[in-house]
Amino acid sequence: MLKGKTALITGASRGIGRQIAIDMAQSGANIALNYIGNPNEAEALRQIILEENVSCAIYECDVSDYNASKKMIDDVLNDFSNVDILVNNAGIARDNPILRIKEKDYNDVMDINLKGSFNIIKHLYPSFMKRRSGTIINIASVCGLRGWQWQASYAASKGGLIALTKTVAKELAGRGITCNAIAPGLIETDMTASLTGDKKKDFIASIPLMRAGQPSDVSKLAVFLASDLASYITGEVIKVDGGLCI
Ligand code: NAP
């Protein structure tokens, strides 16, 4: 479905981003992998991806750093000559009740989840514009649609990302660029590993499909949205949550 295309995936060393990278490579895309702190995981993933007979390169970059993001995009465009698919997946959570949230934690979440996505979109836009094509997938969250207790910064960042998705979709449509968001519910990754025991059981009991999601539940939709089959879809926010937010 993605043969001959090139995808840049942020936060691809672990979890959902890692699975999106694998599935997109299996669909034929060349892969530019971004990470911030786990070079070994990134290199191990590169080896897996190379087995699919596509190109793959790794880029260490903090997406919340505007100038570093610009340099990463320049490097990716140098190495691959163009990018067709951008997946803004890099994200963190710092859960706490509002009274206990530290200013630094609030800022870090907003800077990585929201500003980081803006940085990459802004720096890649000139290349997309020149080619009059490109597709952007932002990994948001059901928290950004519904709000979630103890997740004020996270929910605000994902709500902002959803508004950014719709704005980018409107503003860039005339250039042939699409932009959509995926809003996962509970997906089993390092990010949600601290949810255990009865709390996890209770949470799962509130999910109509009665199970936590896996990264592959999200990555399959990402592959579809990145493919030509989805070329008339833009500005959408699609939940992958087992019915949690029906
Ligand atoms: P994860 O397993 O914790 O992985 C996070 C990834 O983001 C890692 O690859 C990490 O790189 C990277 N990253 C973190 N900060 C970064 C930065 N400043 N610059 C570049 N990369 C950075 O998380 P996940 O569960 O896969 O989450 C992926 C996305 O899905 C996030 O946006 C998250 O908000 C969203 N999401 C997750 C869930 C869920 O239930 N898991 C639900 C809804 C939405 P290193 O490995 O180098 O640290």
Side-chain angles (χ1 to χ4, degrees):
M1 279 164 89
L2 306 180
K3 201 165 171 47
K5 295 182 190 264
T6 297
L8 166 60
I9 302 152
T10 69
S13 45
R14 288 182 286 128
I16 294 170
R18 178 180 184 278
Q19 194 60 47
I20 291 174
I22 290 172
D23 284 11
M24 287 193 172
Q26 284 175 349
S27 301
N30 300 312
I31 306 290
L33 293 175
N34 159 255
Y35 75 101
I36 182 168
N38 274 302
N40 294 340
E41 303 267 7
E43 179 52 32
L45 176 58
R46 193 175 76 92
Q47 294 306 323
I48 291 171
I49 285 175
L50 289 175
E51 283 170 21
E52 301 300 331
N53 290 321
V54 297
S55 305
C56 181
I58 301 175
Y59 303 87
E60 180 191 344
C61 170
D62 178 353
V63 296
S64 71
D65 182 327
Y66 185 85
N67 294 325
S69 299
K70 167 87 173 76
K71 185 180 177 311
M72 176 173 74
I73 296 300
D74 290 346
D75 290 346
V76 172
L77 290 173
N78 247 334
D79 294 344
F80 288 91
S81 79
N82 60 61
V83 170
D84 305 279
I85 302 156
L86 164 63
V87 184
N88 278 313
N89 166 81
I92 61 165
R94 298 281 181 270
D95 302 350
N96 244 328
I98 287 170
L99 280 178
R100 281 207 226 137
I101 294 177
K102 295 197 172 78
E103 185 187 9
K104 181 176 181 330
D105 284 344
Y106 183 88
N107 289 341
D108 285 350
V109 171
M110 295 301 282
D111 284 352
I112 293 170
N113 297 5
L114 181 53
K115 186 182 157 225
S117 301
F118 171 78
N119 288 344
I120 306 294
I121 291 169
K122 177 168 163 97
H123 296 316
L124 199 51
Y125 180 30
S127 159
F128 275 3
M129 201 173 64
K130 227 184 270 168
R131 302 179 64 227
R132 298 191 75 82
S133 74
T135 188
I136 300 166
I137 300 165
N138 294 323
I139 307 299
S141 164
V142 291
C143 298
L145 289 166
R146 293 273 300 263
W148 224 269
Q149 71 173 7
W150 293 18
Q151 295 204 304
S153 55
Y154 186 76
S157 73
K158 296 299 187 177
L161 186 57
I162 287 167
L164 179 66
T165 300
K166 293 179 183 182
T167 301
V168 169
K170 282 184 176 166
E171 199 172 317
L172 276 56
R175 307 280 185 172
I177 298 160
T178 61
C179 182
N180 293 289
I182 299 176
L186 174 65
I187 308 295
E188 283 180 337
T189 66
D190 293 347
M191 184 178 275
T192 53
S194 61
L195 183 67
T196 53
D198 284 347
K199 273 196 183 155
K200 185 170 181 179
K201 263 192 209 152
D202 291 349
F203 197 109
I204 288 175
S206 72
I207 300 172
L209 286 179
M210 301 288 282
R211 68 168 177 90
Q214 297 302 314
S216 59
D217 291 312
V218 179
S219 58
K220 291 190 187 87
L221 176 59
V223 170
F224 168 72
L225 286 175
S227 76
D228 292 342
L229 295 176
S231 61
Y232 200 54
I233 301 174
T234 196
E236 284 301 320
V237 184
I238 303 175
K239 289 178 283 168
V240 180
D241 69 347
L244 176 67
C245 294
I246 293 171

